[in-house]
Coordinates of all heavy atoms in Angstrom, one line a residue:
M1 N -20.4 30.5 17.9 CA -19.6 29.7 18.8 C -19.6 28.3 18.3 O -20.6 27.7 17.9 CB -20.3 29.8 20.2 CG -19.4 29.2 21.3 SD -20.2 29.7 22.8 CE -18.9 29.6 23.9
M2 N -18.5 27.6 18.3 CA -18.3 26.3 17.8 C -18.4 25.3 18.9 O -17.9 25.5 20.0 CB -16.9 26.2 17.2 CG -16.9 25.6 15.8 SD -15.2 25.3 15.2 CE -14.7 26.9 14.8
G3 N -19.1 24.1 18.6 CA -19.1 23.1 19.5 C -17.8 22.4 19.7 O -16.9 22.5 18.9
A4 N -17.7 21.6 20.8 CA -16.4 21.0 21.1 C -16.0 20.0 20.0 O -14.8 19.9 19.7 CB -16.5 20.2 22.4
G5 N -17.0 19.3 19.4 CA -16.6 18.3 18.4 C -16.1 19.0 17.1 O -15.1 18.6 16.5
K6 N -16.7 20.2 16.8 CA -16.2 20.9 15.6 C -14.8 21.5 15.8 O -14.0 21.6 15.0 CB -17.2 22.0 15.2 CG -18.5 21.5 14.6 CD -19.4 22.6 14.2 CE -20.7 22.0 13.5 NZ -21.6 23.1 13.1
Q7 N -14.6 22.0 17.1 CA -13.3 22.5 17.4 C -12.2 21.4 17.3 O -11.2 21.7 16.8 CB -13.3 23.0 18.9 CG -13.7 24.5 19.0 CD -13.5 24.9 20.4 OE1 -13.8 24.2 21.4 NE2 -13.1 26.2 20.6
C8 N -12.5 20.2 17.7 CA -11.5 19.1 17.6 C -11.2 18.9 16.2 O -10.1 18.7 15.8 CB -12.1 17.9 18.3 SG -12.1 18.0 20.1
V9 N -12.2 18.9 15.3 CA -12.0 18.6 13.9 C -11.2 19.7 13.3 O -10.2 19.4 12.5 CB -13.4 18.5 13.2 CG1 -13.2 18.4 11.7 CG2 -14.1 17.2 13.6
V10 N -11.5 21.0 13.6 CA -10.8 22.1 13.0 C -9.3 22.0 13.5 O -8.4 22.2 12.7 CB -11.4 23.4 13.5 CG1 -10.5 24.6 13.1 CG2 -12.7 23.6 12.8
F11 N -9.1 21.8 14.8 CA -7.7 21.7 15.3 C -6.9 20.5 14.7 O -5.8 20.6 14.4 CB -7.6 21.7 16.8 CG -7.9 23.1 17.4 CD1 -8.9 23.2 18.3 CD2 -7.2 24.2 17.1 CE1 -9.2 24.4 18.9 CE2 -7.4 25.4 17.6 CZ -8.5 25.5 18.5
G12 N -7.6 19.4 14.5 CA -7.0 18.2 14.0 C -6.6 18.5 12.5 O -5.5 18.1 12.1
L13 N -7.5 19.1 11.7 CA -7.2 19.4 10.3 C -6.0 20.4 10.2 O -5.1 20.2 9.4 CB -8.4 19.9 9.6 CG -9.5 18.9 9.3 CD1 -10.7 19.6 8.7 CD2 -9.0 17.8 8.4
A14 N -6.0 21.4 11.1 CA -4.9 22.3 11.1 C -3.6 21.6 11.5 O -2.5 21.9 10.8 CB -5.2 23.4 12.1
G15 N -3.6 20.7 12.4 CA -2.4 20.0 12.7 C -1.9 19.1 11.6 O -0.7 19.1 11.3
L16 N -2.8 18.5 10.9 CA -2.4 17.7 9.7 C -1.8 18.5 8.6 O -0.8 18.2 8.0 CB -3.6 16.9 9.1 CG -4.1 15.7 10.0 CD1 -5.3 15.1 9.4 CD2 -3.0 14.6 10.0
L17 N -2.4 19.7 8.4 CA -1.9 20.6 7.4 C -0.5 21.1 7.7 O 0.4 21.1 6.9 CB -2.8 21.8 7.3 CG -2.4 22.9 6.2 CD1 -2.4 22.3 4.8 CD2 -3.3 24.1 6.3
L18 N -0.2 21.4 9.0 CA 1.1 21.8 9.4 C 2.1 20.7 9.3 O 3.3 20.9 8.9 CB 1.1 22.4 10.8 CG 0.4 23.7 11.0 CD1 0.3 24.1 12.5 CD2 1.1 24.8 10.3
A19 N 1.7 19.5 9.7 CA 2.6 18.3 9.6 C 3.0 18.1 8.1 O 4.1 17.7 7.8 CB 1.9 17.1 10.2
G20 N 2.0 18.2 7.2 CA 2.2 18.0 5.8 C 3.2 19.0 5.3 O 4.1 18.7 4.5
C21 N 3.1 20.2 5.7 CA 4.0 21.3 5.2 C 5.4 21.0 5.7 O 6.4 21.2 5.0 CB 3.6 22.7 5.7 SG 2.1 23.3 5.0
E22 N 5.6 20.6 7.0 CA 6.9 20.3 7.6 C 7.5 19.1 6.9 O 8.7 19.1 6.5 CB 6.8 20.0 9.1 CG 8.1 19.8 9.7 CD 8.0 19.8 11.2 OE1 7.1 20.4 11.8 OE2 8.9 19.1 11.8
T23 N 6.7 18.1 6.6 CA 7.2 16.9 5.9 C 7.7 17.3 4.5 O 8.7 16.9 4.0 CB 6.1 15.8 5.8 OG1 5.8 15.4 7.1 CG2 6.7 14.6 5.0
G24 N 6.9 18.1 3.8 CA 7.3 18.6 2.5 C 8.6 19.3 2.5 O 9.5 19.2 1.6
S25 N 8.8 20.2 3.5 CA 10.0 20.9 3.7 C 11.2 20.0 3.9 O 12.3 20.2 3.4 CB 9.9 21.8 4.9 OG 11.1 22.5 5.2
H26 N 11.0 18.9 4.8 CA 12.1 17.9 5.0 C 12.5 17.2 3.7 O 13.6 17.0 3.4 CB 11.7 16.9 6.0 CG 11.7 17.4 7.4 ND1 12.8 18.0 8.0 CD2 10.8 17.3 8.4 CE1 12.5 18.4 9.2 NE2 11.3 17.9 9.5
I27 N 11.5 16.9 2.9 CA 11.8 16.2 1.6 C 12.6 17.1 0.7 O 13.6 16.7 0.1 CB 10.5 15.7 1.0 CG1 9.9 14.6 1.8 CG2 10.7 15.2 -0.5 CD1 8.5 14.1 1.3
R28 N 12.2 18.4 0.6 CA 12.9 19.3 -0.2 C 14.3 19.5 0.3 O 15.3 19.4 -0.5 CB 12.2 20.7 -0.3 CG 11.1 20.7 -1.3 CD 10.6 22.1 -1.4 NE 10.2 22.8 -0.2 CZ 9.0 22.6 0.3 NH1 8.1 21.8 -0.2 NH2 8.6 23.2 1.4
N29 N 14.5 19.6 1.6 CA 15.8 19.8 2.2 C 16.7 18.5 2.0 O 17.9 18.6 1.7 CB 15.7 20.1 3.7 CG 15.3 21.5 3.9 OD1 15.3 22.3 3.0 ND2 14.8 21.7 5.1
A30 N 16.1 17.3 2.1 CA 16.8 16.1 2.0 C 17.3 15.9 0.5 O 18.4 15.5 0.3 CB 16.0 14.9 2.4
S31 N 16.4 16.2 -0.4 CA 16.7 16.0 -1.8 C 17.7 17.1 -2.3 O 18.5 16.8 -3.2 CB 15.5 15.9 -2.7 OG 14.8 17.1 -2.6
A32 N 17.5 18.3 -1.8 CA 18.4 19.4 -2.3 C 19.7 19.5 -1.5 O 20.7 20.0 -2.1 CB 17.6 20.7 -2.3
G33 N 19.6 19.1 -0.3 CA 20.8 19.4 0.6 C 21.6 18.2 0.9 O 22.5 17.8 0.1
G34 N 21.2 17.5 2.0 CA 22.1 16.5 2.5 C 22.1 15.2 1.8 O 23.1 14.7 1.2
A35 N 21.0 14.5 1.8 CA 21.0 13.1 1.5 C 21.0 12.7 0.0 O 21.2 11.5 -0.3 CB 19.8 12.4 2.1
A36 N 20.8 13.6 -0.9 CA 20.6 13.3 -2.3 C 21.8 12.7 -2.9 O 22.6 13.3 -3.7 CB 20.1 14.5 -3.1
G37 N 22.1 11.4 -2.7 CA 23.2 10.7 -3.3 C 24.5 10.9 -2.6 O 25.5 10.3 -3.0
L38 N 24.6 11.8 -1.7 CA 25.9 12.0 -1.0 C 26.2 11.0 0.0 O 27.4 10.8 0.3 CB 25.9 13.4 -0.5 CG 25.8 14.6 -1.4 CD1 25.7 15.9 -0.7 CD2 26.9 14.6 -2.5
F39 N 25.2 10.4 0.7 CA 25.4 9.5 1.8 C 24.7 8.2 1.5 O 23.6 8.2 1.0 CB 25.0 10.1 3.1 CG 25.7 11.4 3.4 CD1 25.1 12.6 3.2 CD2 27.0 11.4 3.9 CE1 25.7 13.8 3.5 CE2 27.6 12.6 4.2 CZ 27.0 13.8 4.0
S40 N 25.3 7.1 1.9 CA 24.6 5.8 1.7 C 23.6 5.6 2.8 O 23.6 6.3 3.9 CB 25.7 4.7 1.8 OG 26.2 4.6 3.1
C41 N 22.8 4.6 2.6 CA 21.8 4.3 3.6 C 22.5 3.9 5.0 O 22.0 4.3 6.0 CB 20.9 3.1 3.2 SG 20.0 3.5 1.7
R42 N 23.6 3.2 4.8 CA 24.3 2.7 6.0 C 24.9 3.9 6.8 O 24.9 4.0 8.0 CB 25.4 1.8 5.6 CG 26.3 1.4 6.7 CD 27.3 0.4 6.2 NE 27.0 -0.9 6.9 CZ 27.4 -2.1 6.5 NH1 28.1 -2.2 5.4 NH2 27.0 -3.1 7.1
Q43 N 25.4 5.0 6.0 CA 25.9 6.1 6.7 C 24.8 6.9 7.4 O 25.0 7.4 8.5 CB 26.6 7.1 5.6 CG 27.9 6.5 5.1 CD 28.4 7.3 4.0 OE1 27.7 7.6 3.0 NE2 29.7 7.7 4.1
I44 N 23.7 7.1 6.8 CA 22.6 7.8 7.4 C 22.1 7.1 8.6 O 21.9 7.7 9.7 CB 21.4 8.0 6.4 CG1 21.9 9.0 5.3 CG2 20.2 8.6 7.1 CD1 20.9 9.0 4.1
S45 N 21.9 5.8 8.5 CA 21.4 5.0 9.6 C 22.5 5.0 10.7 O 22.1 5.0 11.9 CB 21.2 3.5 9.2 OG 20.1 3.5 8.3
G46 N 23.7 4.9 10.4 CA 24.8 4.9 11.4 C 24.9 6.2 12.1 O 25.1 6.3 13.4
A47 N 24.7 7.4 11.4 CA 24.7 8.7 12.0 C 23.5 8.8 13.0 O 23.7 9.4 14.1 CB 24.7 9.8 11.0
F48 N 22.4 8.3 12.6 CA 21.2 8.3 13.5 C 21.5 7.5 14.7 O 21.1 7.9 15.8 CB 19.9 7.9 12.8 CG 18.8 7.9 13.7 CD1 18.2 9.1 14.1 CD2 18.3 6.8 14.3 CE1 17.1 9.2 15.0 CE2 17.3 6.8 15.3 CZ 16.7 8.0 15.6
A49 N 22.0 6.3 14.5 CA 22.3 5.4 15.6 C 23.2 6.1 16.6 O 23.1 6.0 17.8 CB 22.9 4.1 15.1
A50 N 24.2 6.8 16.1 CA 25.2 7.6 17.0 C 24.4 8.6 17.8 O 24.6 8.8 19.0 CB 26.3 8.2 16.2
Y51 N 23.5 9.3 17.2 CA 22.7 10.3 17.9 C 21.8 9.7 18.9 O 21.6 10.1 20.0 CB 21.9 11.2 16.9 CG 20.9 12.1 17.6 CD1 21.3 13.2 18.3 CD2 19.5 11.8 17.5 CE1 20.3 14.0 18.9 CE2 18.6 12.6 18.1 CZ 19.0 13.7 18.8 OH 18.0 14.4 19.4
D52 N 21.2 8.5 18.5 CA 20.3 7.8 19.3 C 21.0 7.3 20.6 O 20.4 7.3 21.7 CB 19.7 6.6 18.5 CG 18.5 6.0 19.2 OD1 17.8 6.7 20.0 OD2 18.2 4.8 19.0
R53 N 22.2 6.9 20.5 CA 23.0 6.4 21.6 C 23.4 7.6 22.6 O 23.5 7.4 23.8 CB 24.3 5.7 21.2 CG 24.1 4.3 20.7 CD 25.4 3.6 20.5 NE 26.3 4.3 19.6 CZ 26.3 4.1 18.2 NH1 25.5 3.3 17.7 NH2 27.2 4.8 17.5
D54 N 23.6 8.8 22.0 CA 24.0 9.9 22.8 C 23.2 11.1 22.4 O 23.6 12.0 21.6 CB 25.5 10.2 22.6 CG 26.0 11.3 23.5 OD1 25.2 11.8 24.4 OD2 27.1 11.7 23.4
R55 N 22.0 11.2 22.9 CA 21.1 12.2 22.5 C 21.4 13.6 23.1 O 20.8 14.6 22.8 CB 19.6 11.9 22.9 CG 19.1 10.7 22.2 CD 17.7 10.4 22.6 NE 17.3 9.1 22.1 CZ 16.1 8.5 22.3 NH1 15.2 9.2 23.0 NH2 15.9 7.3 21.8
H56 N 22.5 13.6 23.9 CA 22.9 14.9 24.5 C 24.1 15.5 23.7 O 24.6 16.5 24.1 CB 23.3 14.7 26.0 CG 22.1 14.1 26.8 ND1 21.0 14.9 27.1 CD2 21.9 12.9 27.2 CE1 20.2 14.1 27.8 NE2 20.7 12.9 27.8
S57 N 24.5 14.9 22.6 CA 25.6 15.3 21.9 C 25.2 16.2 20.7 O 24.5 15.8 19.8 CB 26.4 14.1 21.3 OG 27.3 14.5 20.3
W58 N 25.7 17.5 20.8 CA 25.4 18.4 19.7 C 26.2 18.0 18.4 O 25.6 18.1 17.3 CB 25.9 19.8 20.1 CG 24.9 20.6 20.9 CD1 24.9 20.9 22.2 CD2 23.6 21.0 20.4 NE1 23.8 21.5 22.6 CE2 23.0 21.7 21.5 CE3 22.9 21.0 19.2 CZ2 21.7 22.2 21.4 CZ3 21.7 21.6 19.1 CH2 21.1 22.2 20.2
S59 N 27.3 17.4 18.6 CA 28.1 17.0 17.4 C 27.3 15.8 16.6 O 27.3 15.8 15.4 CB 29.5 16.6 17.7 OG 29.5 15.5 18.5
A60 N 26.8 14.9 17.4 CA 26.0 13.8 16.8 C 24.8 14.4 16.1 O 24.4 13.9 15.0 CB 25.6 12.7 17.8
L61 N 24.1 15.3 16.8 CA 22.9 16.0 16.2 C 23.3 16.7 14.9 O 22.6 16.5 13.9 CB 22.3 16.9 17.2 CG 21.2 17.8 16.6 CD1 20.0 17.0 16.2 CD2 20.8 18.8 17.7
K62 N 24.3 17.4 14.9 CA 24.7 18.2 13.7 C 25.2 17.3 12.6 O 25.0 17.6 11.4 CB 25.8 19.2 14.1 CG 25.2 20.4 14.9 CD 26.2 21.4 15.2 CE 25.6 22.5 16.0 NZ 26.4 23.6 16.3
N63 N 25.8 16.2 12.9 CA 26.2 15.2 11.9 C 25.0 14.6 11.2 O 25.0 14.6 9.9 CB 27.1 14.1 12.6 CG 27.7 13.2 11.6 OD1 28.1 13.6 10.5 ND2 27.9 11.9 11.9
I64 N 24.0 14.1 11.9 CA 22.9 13.5 11.2 C 22.1 14.6 10.5 O 21.6 14.4 9.4 CB 22.0 12.7 12.2 CG1 20.8 12.0 11.5 CG2 21.4 13.6 13.3 CD1 21.3 11.0 10.5
A65 N 22.1 15.8 11.1 CA 21.4 17.0 10.4 C 22.0 17.3 9.1 O 21.3 17.5 8.1 CB 21.3 18.2 11.3
A66 N 23.3 17.3 9.0 CA 24.0 17.6 7.8 C 23.7 16.5 6.7 O 23.6 16.8 5.5 CB 25.5 17.7 8.0
M67 N 23.6 15.3 7.1 CA 23.3 14.2 6.2 C 21.9 14.2 5.7 O 21.6 13.7 4.6 CB 23.6 12.8 6.8 CG 25.0 12.6 7.0 SD 25.2 10.9 7.7 CE 27.0 10.7 7.6
T68 N 21.0 14.7 6.5 CA 19.5 14.6 6.1 C 18.9 15.9 5.7 O 17.8 15.9 5.2 CB 18.7 14.1 7.3 OG1 18.8 15.0 8.4 CG2 19.2 12.7 7.8
G69 N 19.7 17.0 5.7 CA 19.1 18.3 5.3 C 18.3 19.0 6.4 O 17.6 19.9 6.1
L70 N 18.4 18.5 7.6 CA 17.6 19.1 8.7 C 18.2 20.5 9.0 O 19.5 20.6 9.1 CB 17.7 18.3 10.0 CG 17.0 18.8 11.2 CD1 15.5 18.9 11.0 CD2 17.3 17.9 12.4
D71 N 17.4 21.5 9.0 CA 17.9 22.9 9.2 C 18.2 23.1 10.7 O 17.4 23.2 11.5 CB 16.8 23.9 8.8 CG 17.2 25.3 8.9 OD1 18.4 25.6 9.1 OD2 16.3 26.2 8.7
T72 N 19.5 23.2 11.0 CA 20.0 23.4 12.3 C 19.9 24.8 12.8 O 20.1 25.1 13.9 CB 21.4 22.8 12.5 OG1 22.3 23.5 11.7 CG2 21.4 21.3 12.3
A73 N 19.7 25.8 11.9 CA 19.6 27.2 12.2 C 18.5 27.5 13.1 O 18.5 28.4 13.9 CB 19.6 28.0 11.0
R74 N 17.4 26.6 13.0 CA 16.2 26.9 13.9 C 16.3 26.1 15.2 O 15.4 26.2 16.0 CB 15.0 26.4 13.1 CG 14.8 27.2 11.8 CD 13.5 26.9 11.1 NE 13.4 25.4 10.9 CZ 12.3 24.8 10.7 NH1 11.2 25.5 10.6 NH2 12.3 23.5 10.5
L75 N 17.3 25.4 15.5 CA 17.4 24.6 16.7 C 17.8 25.6 17.8 O 18.9 26.1 17.8 CB 18.4 23.5 16.6 CG 18.2 22.5 15.4 CD1 19.2 21.4 15.5 CD2 16.8 21.9 15.5
E76 N 17.0 25.8 18.8 CA 17.2 26.8 19.8 C 17.4 26.2 21.2 O 17.9 26.9 22.1 CB 16.0 27.8 19.8 CG 15.9 28.5 18.5 CD 14.6 29.3 18.5 OE1 13.8 29.3 19.4 OE2 14.4 30.0 17.5
S77 N 16.9 25.0 21.4 CA 17.0 24.4 22.8 C 18.4 24.1 23.2 O 19.2 23.8 22.3 CB 16.1 23.2 22.8 OG 16.3 22.5 24.1
A78 N 18.6 24.2 24.5 CA 20.0 23.8 25.0 C 20.1 22.3 25.1 O 21.2 21.8 25.4 CB 20.2 24.5 26.3
K79 N 19.1 21.5 24.8 CA 19.1 20.1 24.9 C 18.9 19.4 23.6 O 17.8 19.4 23.0 CB 18.1 19.6 25.9 CG 18.3 20.2 27.3 CD 17.2 19.7 28.2 CE 17.4 20.3 29.6 NZ 16.4 19.9 30.5
P80 N 20.0 18.8 23.0 CA 19.9 18.1 21.7 C 18.8 17.0 21.8 O 18.2 16.7 20.7 CB 21.3 17.6 21.5 CG 22.2 18.4 22.3 CD 21.4 18.8 23.5
A81 N 18.6 16.4 22.9 CA 17.6 15.3 23.0 C 16.2 15.8 22.7 O 15.4 15.0 22.3 CB 17.7 14.7 24.4
S82 N 15.9 17.1 22.9 CA 14.6 17.6 22.6 C 14.2 17.5 21.1 O 13.1 17.7 20.8 CB 14.4 19.0 23.2 OG 15.2 19.9 22.5
Y83 N 15.2 17.3 20.3 CA 14.9 17.3 18.8 C 14.8 15.8 18.3 O 14.8 15.6 17.1 CB 16.0 18.0 18.1 CG 16.1 19.5 18.5 CD1 17.0 20.0 19.3 CD2 15.1 20.3 18.0 CE1 17.0 21.3 19.6 CE2 15.1 21.7 18.4 CZ 16.0 22.1 19.2 OH 16.0 23.4 19.5
Y84 N 14.7 14.9 19.2 CA 14.8 13.5 18.7 C 13.7 13.1 17.6 O 14.1 12.5 16.6 CB 14.5 12.5 19.9 CG 14.6 11.1 19.6 CD1 15.8 10.4 19.4 CD2 13.4 10.4 19.3 CE1 15.8 9.1 19.0 CE2 13.4 9.0 19.0 CZ 14.6 8.4 18.8 OH 14.7 7.1 18.4
E85 N 12.5 13.5 17.8 CA 11.5 13.2 16.8 C 11.8 13.9 15.5 O 11.6 13.2 14.4 CB 10.1 13.6 17.3 CG 9.6 12.7 18.4 CD 9.5 11.2 18.0 OE1 9.1 10.9 16.9 OE2 9.9 10.3 18.8
Q86 N 12.2 15.1 15.5 CA 12.6 15.8 14.3 C 13.7 15.1 13.6 O 13.7 14.9 12.3 CB 13.0 17.3 14.6 CG 11.9 18.2 14.7 CD 12.4 19.6 14.9 OE1 12.8 20.0 16.0 NE2 12.5 20.4 13.9
V87 N 14.7 14.7 14.3 CA 15.9 14.1 13.8 C 15.5 12.7 13.2 O 15.9 12.4 12.1 CB 17.0 13.9 14.8 CG1 18.1 13.0 14.3 CG2 17.5 15.3 15.2
K88 N 14.7 12.0 13.9 CA 14.3 10.6 13.4 C 13.4 10.8 12.1 O 13.6 10.1 11.2 CB 13.5 9.9 14.5 CG 13.1 8.5 14.1 CD 12.5 7.7 15.2 CE 12.2 6.3 14.7 NZ 11.6 5.5 15.7
N89 N 12.5 11.7 12.1 CA 11.7 12.0 10.9 C 12.5 12.4 9.8 O 12.3 11.9 8.6 CB 10.6 13.0 11.2 CG 9.5 12.5 12.1 OD1 9.3 11.3 12.3 ND2 8.8 13.5 12.8
S90 N 13.5 13.3 10.0 CA 14.4 13.7 8.9 C 15.2 12.6 8.4 O 15.4 12.4 7.2 CB 15.3 14.8 9.5 OG 16.1 15.4 8.5
A91 N 15.7 11.7 9.3 CA 16.5 10.5 8.9 C 15.6 9.6 8.1 O 16.1 9.1 7.0 CB 17.1 9.8 10.1
N92 N 14.4 9.4 8.5 CA 13.5 8.5 7.8 C 13.2 9.0 6.4 O 13.2 8.3 5.4 CB 12.2 8.2 8.5 CG 12.4 7.2 9.6 OD1 13.1 6.2 9.4 ND2 11.6 7.3 10.7
I93 N 13.0 10.3 6.3 CA 12.7 10.9 5.0 C 13.9 10.8 4.1 O 13.8 10.4 2.9 CB 12.2 12.4 5.1 CG1 10.8 12.4 5.8 CG2 12.2 13.1 3.8 CD1 10.4 13.7 6.2
A94 N 15.1 11.1 4.6 CA 16.3 11.0 3.8 C 16.5 9.5 3.3 O 16.9 9.3 2.2 CB 17.5 11.4 4.6
L95 N 16.2 8.6 4.2 CA 16.4 7.2 3.8 C 15.4 6.8 2.7 O 15.7 6.1 1.7 CB 16.2 6.2 5.0 CG 17.4 6.3 6.0 CD1 17.0 5.6 7.3 CD2 18.6 5.6 5.4
L96 N 14.1 7.3 2.8 CA 13.1 7.0 1.8 C 13.4 7.6 0.5 O 13.2 7.0 -0.6 CB 11.7 7.4 2.3 CG 11.1 6.6 3.5 CD1 9.9 7.3 4.1 CD2 10.8 5.2 3.0
V97 N 14.0 8.9 0.5 CA 14.4 9.5 -0.7 C 15.4 8.7 -1.4 O 15.5 8.7 -2.6 CB 14.9 11.0 -0.4 CG1 15.6 11.6 -1.6 CG2 13.7 11.9 0.0
Q98 N 16.3 8.1 -0.6 CA 17.4 7.3 -1.2 C 16.9 5.9 -1.7 O 17.6 5.1 -2.3 CB 18.5 7.0 -0.2 CG 19.2 8.3 0.3 CD 20.2 8.7 -0.7 OE1 19.9 9.3 -1.7 NE2 21.5 8.3 -0.4
G99 N 15.6 5.6 -1.3 CA 15.1 4.2 -1.6 C 15.5 3.2 -0.6 O 15.5 2.0 -0.9
C100 N 15.7 3.6 0.6 CA 16.2 2.7 1.7 C 15.0 2.4 2.6 O 14.0 3.1 2.7 CB 17.3 3.4 2.5 SG 18.7 4.0 1.5
Q101 N 15.2 1.4 3.4 CA 14.3 1.0 4.5 C 14.4 2.1 5.6 O 15.4 2.4 6.0 CB 14.7 -0.3 5.0 CG 13.7 -0.9 6.1 CD 12.4 -1.3 5.5 OE1 12.3 -1.6 4.3 NE2 11.4 -1.3 6.3
P102 N 13.2 2.7 6.0 CA 13.3 3.6 7.1 C 13.6 3.0 8.4 O 13.6 1.8 8.5 CB 11.8 4.2 7.1 CG 11.0 3.2 6.5 CD 11.9 2.4 5.5
L103 N 13.9 3.8 9.4 CA 14.4 3.3 10.7 C 13.2 2.6 11.4 O 12.1 2.8 11.2 CB 14.8 4.5 11.6 CG 15.9 5.3 11.0 CD1 16.1 6.6 11.8 CD2 17.2 4.5 11.0

C-alpha cells in the first residue's frame, strides 16, 4: 500500500508524462500539418482571436485547428468552448514553431 505522499508523486509524474506526449504530438502536427510555413504569425493569432471572441463557433474552432494542426477528428463535445485550452496550446505551439511570440 502506498502512502498519500507517494501517490501524489506517482500521479504527478504520470500527468507530466501525458502532457509531454500531447505537446510532442501537437508539435509534430503543427510542423507536418498546418502551421509549417503556410500561415503567418498574424494569421494564426488572428484565427485564435476570432475563436477567443466566439468560443461557441465551430467554424472558428475548425479554422484555427486547420492552421495549427489540431486534430479535430477527436473533438466530441457539443460545445466548442470546452476545447479552449487545447486550441490555445495548439496555437502557441504553432506560433513557436514559426518563431513567433506566443499568445
Side-chain angles (χ1 to χ4, degrees):
M1 194 170 201
M2 230 188 282
K6 287 183 181 179
Q7 269 186 323
C8 288
V9 170
V10 168
F11 286 123
L13 289 173
L16 286 174
L17 180 61
L18 289 173
C21 291
E22 187 171 329
T23 300
S25 173
H26 283 311
I27 290 172
R28 279 191 301 281
N29 287 345
S31 63
L38 297 178
F39 301 100
S40 69
C41 299
R42 177 178 247 158
Q43 288 173 309
I44 295 168
S45 296
F48 178 78
Y51 170 72
D52 194 29
R53 281 189 304 272
D54 185 5
R55 295 182 193 179
H56 302 288
S57 167
W58 278 108
S59 64
L61 172 63
K62 288 182 179 183
N63 188 34
I64 186 65
M67 289 184 170
T68 63
L70 180 65
D71 183 10
T72 58
R74 298 184 309 161
L75 304 182
E76 299 171 358
S77 172
K79 297 180 180 181
S82 65
Y83 297 106
Y84 180 80
E85 287 303 317
Q86 278 183 280
V87 171
K88 185 173 182 180
N89 289 338
S90 185
N92 277 329
I93 290 168
L95 289 166
L96 288 171
V97 166
Q98 296 279 84
C100 308
Q101 183 72 24
L103 303 169

